[in-house]
Amino acid sequence: MKPASTPASNQVVLDVDLVVIGGGSAGIHAAIQLKDAGAKVAVIEKKKQIGGHAETFYAPNSAPINVGVVLFENNTAVTDYFARLNVSTIFTNPTTGTPAALNYDFALGFPIPAQNASVTQAQNQAIAAAAQSYTINVLTKYPWIDAGFLVPDPVPAELLLPFGELAKKYRFEALLPLISNFNWYTGDVSTIPALYGIKGLGPGLLQSLFGKFIVAASGDTRSLYEAAAKDLGDSILLDSTILSVTRTAKTGKPVVILVNQPGQPPKLIRAKKLLVAIPQTLSNIGKFDISGDERDIFSKFSAMGYWAGVATVPNLNNTLRNVGVQTPYNQPVIPGPAGIQATVAPGYFTTLVGYNDLNYTDASSQALIRTNLATLAAVGGVPPGSAEATKFVFSSDHGPYGLRVSTKDIKNGFYKKLLAAQGKRNTYWAGAAFAGHNSGLIWNFNVGTIVPGLKKDLGL
């Protein structure tokens, strides 16, 4: 990115040890850890709040409706982080104690009959057997899976198989609908490389599914980020636009970033180290003074799309789950939502739409939900006129989502090259592309890789 032409006399200079681009899950967690280690940090965030996908809509009765990040797997990184920020937690499991959803194929308008007790029992037994086989035959071979994409070289051949094929080989197919439902949106779980399928159901998430998840005791996921914002204070630069980035391999303060915020003089941030914690697509980072090697690595990523919304649907009183009747493992037809989920606020529903690319808009996503509602209304799944009466009171684009590379690139050592980029040109990289779309895994990767590396380099 070329240096901006802002006169130096108008700039406010900030000298820090670490500058973080991205105030989402990875960036804020790392900033807190490095601050605790004695580093002076600055966090650059383009939105008006930190937290990334952890967004909350507050209904008129003030009940918080979490959108995007709802649950946290029960691991040490999660419990330590909540404790560090003094945010109270409780345990929960959405698979038990919640009203049963009504199941429909949203695309076809096909109702799925409720299962009787014997069928449910048989299904639960099949899931338990599948989990046991998956643990013994898969997870024990890849103990690094929850720590990041620490893929060995050479890459084990079975990690390159379509995940559905691996599931058949080790007889854990009964888990695949569960993965699709609880790690939305994964892509087609039957065809994605097994590496990504396993990453979507590591030992931490599997244990939580059969045990307990962690949530903020307040019911509001943003409680965590409000506490982090208070802790970091004016180290966070909200509503920021990056004007230029300059990086070198020199020592001292070789990272220079010029940032603009509305109504304020430009800030020139000079830092010893940089952490890039936004999705590492070329459209996001291509102008960040990246090297040829970095461009070669990050250009290989492709992304999926993810749209989240909150809607009011008059006279609808229950959750509807989208179950594909003609798709592998009953995955919803894509593009399409995982369901229409009732919330703590009567009449308010969340809906999360998955896409296989980024060719969508807020308007097209809302139109898709209205089309689904019209289809469901025709078979009595929702009240007549729901498509027209529904109002969208909140929406958010969570794309680019699920950054991945081809099976060929995995085989050719992509993740070895990706990990080798850490620390070069005084830059570290973090986030879902390095850990998976799971806050617990992102924080695991920070604790195991990013924080130790930065502390060592900064002499902390």
Side-chain angles (χ1 to χ4, degrees), residues 324-389:
V325 297
Q326 297 177 332
T327 54
Y329 306 109
N330 302 121
Q331 300 172 89
V333 172
I334 300 299
I340 298 173
Q341 178 75 38
T343 71
V344 293
Y348 288 81
F349 299 81
T350 56
T351 186
L352 310 172
V353 181
Y355 293 90
N356 287 326
D357 53 41
L358 298 173
N359 297 320
Y360 62 93
T361 63
D362 189 69
S364 67
S365 299
Q366 293 185 20
L368 175 62
I369 297 299
R370 292 191 192 278
T371 298
N372 287 162
L373 288 169
T375 302
L376 291 169
V379 295
V382 296
S386 289
E388 297 78 16

Side-chain angles (χ1 to χ4, degrees), residues 84-106:
R84 160 62 182 83
L85 292 172
N86 199 28
V87 177
S88 299
T89 60
I90 58 174
F91 294 109
T92 187
N93 192 321
T95 64
T96 59
T98 55
L102 300 181
N103 297 327
Y104 288 85
D105 185 316
F106 285 20

